[in-house]
Structures are given as C-alpha cells and as structure tokens.
Amino acid sequence: MYRFNSTWYEGSYSRWMEYSVKEDVVFCLCCYLFKNDYVKGNAGDFFTKTGFKAWNHNLERFQLHVGEVNSVHRRCFSKMLDFENQSQSIQVALNKQSEKKIRSEHRTHLEASTNVARFLLKFELSFRGHDESEYSKNKGLFLGLLEWLGKMLPDLNNVILKHAPKNAMMTSSKIQKDIVSACAQETVKAIIDDLDGDFFEMLVDESKDISHHE
C-alpha cells in the first residue's frame, strides 16, 4: 500500500515535513510560514494548503519541492532557521546589552544605598525623616545622604533616586530595613568567624532581675 512512512521524519526532510493524520497529507512547515514573502498568488499550494499525498512519487516530489540552491523552499527554510535562532539576532543582542546595563545600574544604586546605611549604623544615627516627600527640605539622613552623594558624584546621580532605572528607587522603609537586616547578619557572621569556635561571654551593665536587684 502506498501511504505516509514515518521513517521520512528521520531523513533530511524531517526539519520541514509535517504530516496531518486527519487529512492523510504532507505539508511543508517553512513554506507554510514564509512562502508568501517570496511568491504571490496560489502557485505551488500542494505543500502549504491542499497538502501532498502522491505516495507513489513521494521521494521524487519531495526532492523537486526542495529544489535548487536558490529555490523558494530553501529560502523559506533559511528564514525558518533564522526564526528559530532568534537568540542570535541583533535585536536580542541589543536587549541583552540593555539588560546588562540596567543590572549594572541597579548594582551601583544598591551599593550606594548600602554604603549610606552602613555609615548611619556605624554612628548610630536615625534613618527616617518626618517628611520624606520629593520637595521636603528635611527628608531624613538616609535620603539626604543619597542626594548629597548624587550631587558630589554625577555618574552616581544618573542611577539613583528619581533617575533610577525603571523607577526602582530602592528607598522605601521596607528596603531600608532589609539593608539594615543584611548588615546585622553580616556583622554577626563576622563576629562568629572571628571567634572561630571559641568560648565567649557577654557583660551587660546594670541588668536587673525580677526583684529589681542588679
């Protein structure tokens, strides 16, 4: 019996051949997708619309459909490969460069916020201000120091506060607390590493028990 043979999927036609079980015909995927870019009208619709099923002449017709080096099928096939390899396209490369730049700007911004937090923690200074709105003249030390750093360092000013990429200012109270928590964890880790498994004691001045005796 002449019929579709699944072993054809293992040959050179496997990249473009699509078989419809319902219609019992073969289609060409790349020509279906891109043929209209090269051919106008209904020329050669066997592999794109009506489907091919002349099984007694299958291999000859497949080869005829593929054609010479510059045939419509080969051009469609090349276009399909380019479509599959979009990760190599110029636009994707530009997007990756843009994402890389944004990540770098985020890191610079986060480092500035972390350094400000470390300074305030070292000297036990308060972070928040009573009014932290954009036009406030006393936003608190955290935002005030960030603004001051921006004025001193123009490159930093381009990536912090209102100039932050994608409006990720990273100045909310939650983020400030996250930075403080991270500093606390790193401090504890540094102390533990310094002790190196040794014993230690803590002396707490004027600690009272329940009877109010020191």
Side-chain angles (χ1 to χ4, degrees):
M1 294 176 62
Y2 291 111
R3 60 184 179 183
F4 177 79
N5 191 335
S6 60
T7 59
W8 295 338
Y9 277 132
E10 301 171 5
S12 58
Y13 311 118
S14 59
R15 296 292 300 274
W16 55 264
M17 182 183 294
E18 292 290 337
Y19 173 66
S20 169
V21 176
K22 180 180 179 181
E23 303 295 335
D24 188 31
V25 293
V26 166
F27 294 98
C28 175
L29 176 62
C30 59
C31 290
Y32 175 80
L33 293 173
F34 302 110
K35 192 190 75 170
N36 289 339
D37 294 348
Y38 303 105
V39 178
K40 304 303 179 183
N42 299 322
D45 286 342
F46 290 113
F47 284 89
T48 57
K49 291 185 178 180
T50 57
F52 171 80
K53 63 180 304 180
W55 307 129
N56 56 328
H57 299 292
N58 53 76
L59 297 180
E60 294 88 343
R61 290 298 301 272
F62 291 163
Q63 189 58 45
L64 182 63
H65 173 70
V66 171
E68 301 299 329
V69 175
N70 201 33
S71 68
V72 172
H73 169 85
R74 290 185 184 273
R75 283 185 284 173
C76 292
F77 186 71
S78 295
K79 200 161 188 176
M80 185 179 73
L81 293 180
D82 292 338
F83 183 77
E84 290 177 348
N85 296 327
Q86 289 187 69
S87 59
Q88 306 298 322
S89 69
I90 294 176
Q91 185 59 49
V92 171
L94 290 174
N95 290 340
K96 286 182 178 179
Q97 287 294 327
S98 177
E99 292 173 2
K100 185 177 180 180
K101 182 174 182 290
I102 291 174
R103 285 197 300 269
S104 176
E105 291 175 349
H106 275 305
R107 184 177 182 87
T108 301
H109 189 185
L110 182 58
E111 286 178 349
S113 297
T114 303
N115 288 333
V116 168
R118 290 172 63 189
F119 177 85
L120 296 176
L121 289 170
K122 181 176 181 179
F123 293 99
E124 301 180 9
L125 300 172
S126 62
F127 279 56
R128 308 297 303 281
H130 178 68
D131 180 8
E132 296 185 347
S133 61
E134 182 178 357
Y135 299 105
S136 171
K137 294 183 178 179
N138 187 6
K139 300 178 182 178
L141 291 176
F142 183 82
L143 293 178
L145 277 173
L146 270 180
E147 287 185 349
W148 180 80
L149 281 174
K151 292 177 181 178
M152 295 297 102
L153 304 170
D155 290 342
L156 178 63
N157 189 53
N158 292 332
V159 298
I160 65 173
L161 299 176
K162 62 182 179 181
H163 299 130
K166 295 188 177 181
N167 202 33
M169 297 177 65
M170 293 191 287
T171 57
S172 69
S173 59
K174 182 178 184 302
I175 289 179
Q176 291 182 37
K177 290 176 182 177
D178 284 345
I179 294 174
V180 171
S181 177
C183 289
Q185 292 179 36
E186 289 299 313
T187 301
V188 171
K189 183 176 181 296
I191 293 173
I192 292 173
D193 291 342
D194 187 51
L195 289 169
D196 194 24
D198 201 358
F199 293 101
F200 67 96
E201 63 181 356
M202 295 178 63
L203 177 62
V204 182
D205 187 32
E206 296 184 2
S207 173
K208 296 180 180 181
D209 59 18
I210 194 170
S211 62
H212 301 290
H213 294 145
E214 290 188 6

